[in-house]
PDB file of all heavy atoms in Angstrom:
ATOM      1  N   ASP A 358      96.830 -13.765  19.072  1.00 91.00           N
ATOM      2  CA  ASP A 358      96.584 -14.985  18.315  1.00 91.00           C
ATOM      3  C   ASP A 358      97.050 -14.822  16.883  1.00 91.00           C
ATOM      4  O   ASP A 358      96.409 -14.213  16.101  1.00 91.00           O
ATOM      5  CB  ASP A 358      95.040 -15.287  18.306  1.00 91.00           C
ATOM      6  CG  ASP A 358      94.686 -16.694  17.674  1.00 91.00           C
ATOM      7  OD1 ASP A 358      95.645 -17.406  17.293  1.00 91.00           O
ATOM      8  OD2 ASP A 358      93.533 -16.981  17.539  1.00 91.00           O
ATOM      9  N   THR A 359      98.161 -15.308  16.629  1.00 89.00           N
ATOM     10  CA  THR A 359      99.118 -16.255  17.224  1.00 89.00           C
ATOM     11  C   THR A 359     100.480 -15.500  17.383  1.00 89.00           C
ATOM     12  O   THR A 359     100.710 -14.538  16.730  1.00 89.00           O
ATOM     13  CB  THR A 359      99.334 -17.561  16.474  1.00 89.00           C
ATOM     14  OG1 THR A 359      99.963 -17.175  15.284  1.00 89.00           O
ATOM     15  CG2 THR A 359      98.021 -18.328  16.204  1.00 89.00           C
ATOM     16  N   LEU A 360     101.318 -16.153  18.224  1.00 93.00           N
ATOM     17  CA  LEU A 360     102.648 -15.631  18.323  1.00 93.00           C
ATOM     18  C   LEU A 360     103.458 -15.490  16.962  1.00 93.00           C
ATOM     19  O   LEU A 360     104.078 -14.580  16.592  1.00 93.00           O
ATOM     20  CB  LEU A 360     103.500 -16.489  19.285  1.00 93.00           C
ATOM     21  CG  LEU A 360     104.975 -16.035  19.571  1.00 93.00           C
ATOM     22  CD1 LEU A 360     105.336 -16.415  20.977  1.00 93.00           C
ATOM     23  CD2 LEU A 360     105.938 -16.584  18.536  1.00 93.00           C
ATOM     24  N   SER A 361     103.280 -16.597  16.146  1.00 91.00           N
ATOM     25  CA  SER A 361     103.941 -16.665  14.808  1.00 91.00           C
ATOM     26  C   SER A 361     103.533 -15.502  13.984  1.00 91.00           C
ATOM     27  O   SER A 361     104.413 -14.836  13.371  1.00 91.00           O
ATOM     28  CB  SER A 361     103.574 -17.984  14.153  1.00 91.00           C
ATOM     29  OG  SER A 361     104.208 -17.976  12.931  1.00 91.00           O
ATOM     30  N   ARG A 362     102.250 -15.142  13.948  1.00 92.00           N
ATOM     31  CA  ARG A 362     101.855 -13.997  13.115  1.00 92.00           C
ATOM     32  C   ARG A 362     102.245 -12.701  13.764  1.00 92.00           C
ATOM     33  O   ARG A 362     102.483 -11.753  12.981  1.00 92.00           O
ATOM     34  CB  ARG A 362     100.278 -14.041  12.946  1.00 92.00           C
ATOM     35  CG  ARG A 362      99.768 -15.100  12.008  1.00 92.00           C
ATOM     36  CD  ARG A 362     100.336 -14.956  10.594  1.00 92.00           C
ATOM     37  NE  ARG A 362      99.937 -13.747  10.039  1.00 92.00           N
ATOM     38  CZ  ARG A 362      99.010 -13.655   9.119  1.00 92.00           C
ATOM     39  NH1 ARG A 362      98.292 -14.728   8.675  1.00 92.00           N
ATOM     40  NH2 ARG A 362      98.698 -12.517   8.570  1.00 92.00           N
ATOM     41  N   ALA A 363     102.297 -12.533  15.084  1.00 93.00           N
ATOM     42  CA  ALA A 363     102.761 -11.328  15.711  1.00 93.00           C
ATOM     43  C   ALA A 363     104.253 -11.098  15.566  1.00 93.00           C
ATOM     44  O   ALA A 363     104.696  -9.997  15.817  1.00 93.00           O
ATOM     45  CB  ALA A 363     102.265 -11.384  17.165  1.00 93.00           C
ATOM     46  N   LEU A 364     104.892 -12.147  15.254  1.00 92.00           N
ATOM     47  CA  LEU A 364     106.382 -11.974  14.948  1.00 92.00           C
ATOM     48  C   LEU A 364     106.673 -11.304  13.616  1.00 92.00           C
ATOM     49  O   LEU A 364     107.793 -10.842  13.310  1.00 92.00           O
ATOM     50  CB  LEU A 364     107.193 -13.308  14.989  1.00 92.00           C
ATOM     51  CG  LEU A 364     107.579 -13.814  16.359  1.00 92.00           C
ATOM     52  CD1 LEU A 364     108.202 -15.187  16.261  1.00 92.00           C
ATOM     53  CD2 LEU A 364     108.529 -12.857  17.086  1.00 92.00           C
ATOM     54  N   ALA A 365     105.642 -11.333  12.784  1.00 88.00           N
ATOM     55  CA  ALA A 365     105.644 -10.523  11.473  1.00 88.00           C
ATOM     56  C   ALA A 365     106.871 -10.849  10.591  1.00 88.00           C
ATOM     57  O   ALA A 365     107.641  -9.980  10.234  1.00 88.00           O
ATOM     58  CB  ALA A 365     105.538  -9.070  11.713  1.00 88.00           C
ATOM     59  N   GLY A 366     107.160 -12.156  10.482  1.00 87.00           N
ATOM     60  CA  GLY A 366     108.301 -12.596   9.616  1.00 87.00           C
ATOM     61  C   GLY A 366     109.610 -12.718  10.464  1.00 87.00           C
ATOM     62  O   GLY A 366     110.595 -13.066   9.881  1.00 87.00           O
ATOM     63  N   GLY A 367     109.514 -12.412  11.743  1.00 91.00           N
ATOM     64  CA  GLY A 367     110.744 -12.653  12.622  1.00 91.00           C
ATOM     65  C   GLY A 367     110.998 -14.146  12.765  1.00 91.00           C
ATOM     66  O   GLY A 367     110.161 -14.993  12.443  1.00 91.00           O
ATOM     67  N   ASN A 368     112.176 -14.466  13.229  1.00 92.00           N
ATOM     68  CA  ASN A 368     112.562 -15.858  13.403  1.00 92.00           C
ATOM     69  C   ASN A 368     112.290 -16.299  14.896  1.00 92.00           C
ATOM     70  O   ASN A 368     112.941 -15.797  15.744  1.00 92.00           O
ATOM     71  CB  ASN A 368     114.065 -15.991  13.109  1.00 92.00           C
ATOM     72  CG  ASN A 368     114.628 -17.468  13.284  1.00 92.00           C
ATOM     73  OD1 ASN A 368     113.987 -18.249  13.823  1.00 92.00           O
ATOM     74  ND2 ASN A 368     115.784 -17.563  12.809  1.00 92.00           N
ATOM     75  N   GLU A 369     111.359 -17.175  15.110  1.00 91.00           N
ATOM     76  CA  GLU A 369     111.014 -17.522  16.442  1.00 91.00           C
ATOM     77  C   GLU A 369     112.127 -18.342  17.182  1.00 91.00           C
ATOM     78  O   GLU A 369     112.069 -18.539  18.359  1.00 91.00           O
ATOM     79  CB  GLU A 369     109.699 -18.430  16.401  1.00 91.00           C
ATOM     80  CG  GLU A 369     109.690 -19.710  15.759  1.00 91.00           C
ATOM     81  CD  GLU A 369     108.419 -20.340  15.601  1.00 91.00           C
ATOM     82  OE1 GLU A 369     107.353 -19.682  15.735  1.00 91.00           O
ATOM     83  OE2 GLU A 369     108.331 -21.532  15.377  1.00 91.00           O
ATOM     84  N   ASN A 370     113.177 -18.758  16.471  1.00 91.00           N
ATOM     85  CA  ASN A 370     114.253 -19.441  17.029  1.00 91.00           C
ATOM     86  C   ASN A 370     115.394 -18.447  17.439  1.00 91.00           C
ATOM     87  O   ASN A 370     116.392 -18.839  18.053  1.00 91.00           O
ATOM     88  CB  ASN A 370     114.847 -20.479  16.130  1.00 91.00           C
ATOM     89  CG  ASN A 370     113.911 -21.603  15.929  1.00 91.00           C
ATOM     90  OD1 ASN A 370     113.353 -22.173  16.873  1.00 91.00           O
ATOM     91  ND2 ASN A 370     113.628 -21.945  14.675  1.00 91.00           N
ATOM     92  N   SER A 371     115.260 -17.202  16.989  1.00 93.00           N
ATOM     93  CA  SER A 371     116.286 -16.197  17.226  1.00 93.00           C
ATOM     94  C   SER A 371     116.057 -15.539  18.663  1.00 93.00           C
ATOM     95  O   SER A 371     114.875 -15.126  18.960  1.00 93.00           O
ATOM     96  CB  SER A 371     116.181 -15.102  16.188  1.00 93.00           C
ATOM     97  OG  SER A 371     116.823 -13.877  16.667  1.00 93.00           O
ATOM     98  N   PRO A 372     117.096 -15.501  19.515  1.00 93.00           N
ATOM     99  CA  PRO A 372     116.889 -14.896  20.778  1.00 93.00           C
ATOM    100  C   PRO A 372     116.557 -13.375  20.628  1.00 93.00           C
ATOM    101  O   PRO A 372     115.877 -12.809  21.467  1.00 93.00           O
ATOM    102  CB  PRO A 372     118.236 -15.114  21.554  1.00 93.00           C
ATOM    103  CG  PRO A 372     119.250 -15.418  20.432  1.00 93.00           C
ATOM    104  CD  PRO A 372     118.408 -15.986  19.334  1.00 93.00           C
ATOM    105  N   ASP A 373     117.070 -12.761  19.571  1.00 95.00           N
ATOM    106  CA  ASP A 373     116.803 -11.261  19.395  1.00 95.00           C
ATOM    107  C   ASP A 373     115.322 -11.078  19.057  1.00 95.00           C
ATOM    108  O   ASP A 373     114.682 -10.210  19.686  1.00 95.00           O
ATOM    109  CB  ASP A 373     117.736 -10.699  18.322  1.00 95.00           C
ATOM    110  CG  ASP A 373     119.128 -10.715  18.701  1.00 95.00           C
ATOM    111  OD1 ASP A 373     119.463 -10.680  19.895  1.00 95.00           O
ATOM    112  OD2 ASP A 373     119.992 -10.725  17.778  1.00 95.00           O
ATOM    113  N   ASP A 374     114.849 -11.907  18.107  1.00 95.00           N
ATOM    114  CA  ASP A 374     113.402 -11.689  17.683  1.00 95.00           C
ATOM    115  C   ASP A 374     112.419 -12.140  18.786  1.00 95.00           C
ATOM    116  O   ASP A 374     111.488 -11.397  19.069  1.00 95.00           O
ATOM    117  CB  ASP A 374     113.104 -12.423  16.381  1.00 95.00           C
ATOM    118  CG  ASP A 374     113.826 -11.845  15.202  1.00 95.00           C
ATOM    119  OD1 ASP A 374     114.393 -10.746  15.326  1.00 95.00           O
ATOM    120  OD2 ASP A 374     113.797 -12.487  14.091  1.00 95.00           O
ATOM    121  N   MET A 375     112.620 -13.219  19.419  1.00 94.00           N
ATOM    122  CA  MET A 375     111.858 -13.708  20.506  1.00 94.00           C
ATOM    123  C   MET A 375     111.946 -12.760  21.688  1.00 94.00           C
ATOM    124  O   MET A 375     110.909 -12.443  22.359  1.00 94.00           O
ATOM    125  CB  MET A 375     112.117 -15.134  20.890  1.00 94.00           C
ATOM    126  CG  MET A 375     111.066 -15.702  21.803  1.00 94.00           C
ATOM    127  SD  MET A 375     109.416 -15.878  21.143  1.00 94.00           S
ATOM    128  CE  MET A 375     109.682 -17.436  20.155  1.00 94.00           C
ATOM    129  N   GLY A 376     113.158 -12.233  21.942  1.00 95.00           N
ATOM    130  CA  GLY A 376     113.336 -11.281  23.027  1.00 95.00           C
ATOM    131  C   GLY A 376     112.507  -9.955  22.797  1.00 95.00           C
ATOM    132  O   GLY A 376     111.943  -9.407  23.673  1.00 95.00           O
ATOM    133  N   ALA A 377     112.548  -9.527  21.531  1.00 95.00           N
ATOM    134  CA  ALA A 377     111.716  -8.325  21.154  1.00 95.00           C
ATOM    135  C   ALA A 377     110.256  -8.528  21.368  1.00 95.00           C
ATOM    136  O   ALA A 377     109.548  -7.740  21.873  1.00 95.00           O
ATOM    137  CB  ALA A 377     111.980  -7.904  19.751  1.00 95.00           C
ATOM    138  N   PHE A 378     109.812  -9.783  21.027  1.00 95.00           N
ATOM    139  CA  PHE A 378     108.382 -10.132  21.216  1.00 95.00           C
ATOM    140  C   PHE A 378     108.005 -10.138  22.680  1.00 95.00           C
ATOM    141  O   PHE A 378     107.032  -9.505  23.120  1.00 95.00           O
ATOM    142  CB  PHE A 378     108.049 -11.440  20.502  1.00 95.00           C
ATOM    143  CG  PHE A 378     106.645 -11.994  20.905  1.00 95.00           C
ATOM    144  CD1 PHE A 378     105.619 -11.577  20.131  1.00 95.00           C
ATOM    145  CD2 PHE A 378     106.459 -12.868  21.948  1.00 95.00           C
ATOM    146  CE1 PHE A 378     104.378 -11.906  20.367  1.00 95.00           C
ATOM    147  CE2 PHE A 378     105.137 -13.287  22.206  1.00 95.00           C
ATOM    148  CZ  PHE A 378     104.068 -12.811  21.417  1.00 95.00           C
ATOM    149  N   VAL A 379     108.876 -10.727  23.521  1.00 95.00           N
ATOM    150  CA  VAL A 379     108.656 -10.780  24.916  1.00 95.00           C
ATOM    151  C   VAL A 379     108.669  -9.349  25.510  1.00 95.00           C
ATOM    152  O   VAL A 379     107.789  -9.016  26.351  1.00 95.00           O
ATOM    153  CB  VAL A 379     109.627 -11.664  25.665  1.00 95.00           C
ATOM    154  CG1 VAL A 379     109.580 -11.540  27.139  1.00 95.00           C
ATOM    155  CG2 VAL A 379     109.371 -13.132  25.292  1.00 95.00           C
TER     156      VAL A 379
END
Side-chain angles (χ1 to χ4, degrees):
D358 184 4
T359 63
L360 183 148
S361 179
R362 288 299 299 258
L364 275 176
N368 180 350
E369 64 188 18
N370 295 310
S371 161
D373 293 337
D374 289 351
M375 192 62 81
F378 175 82
V379 168

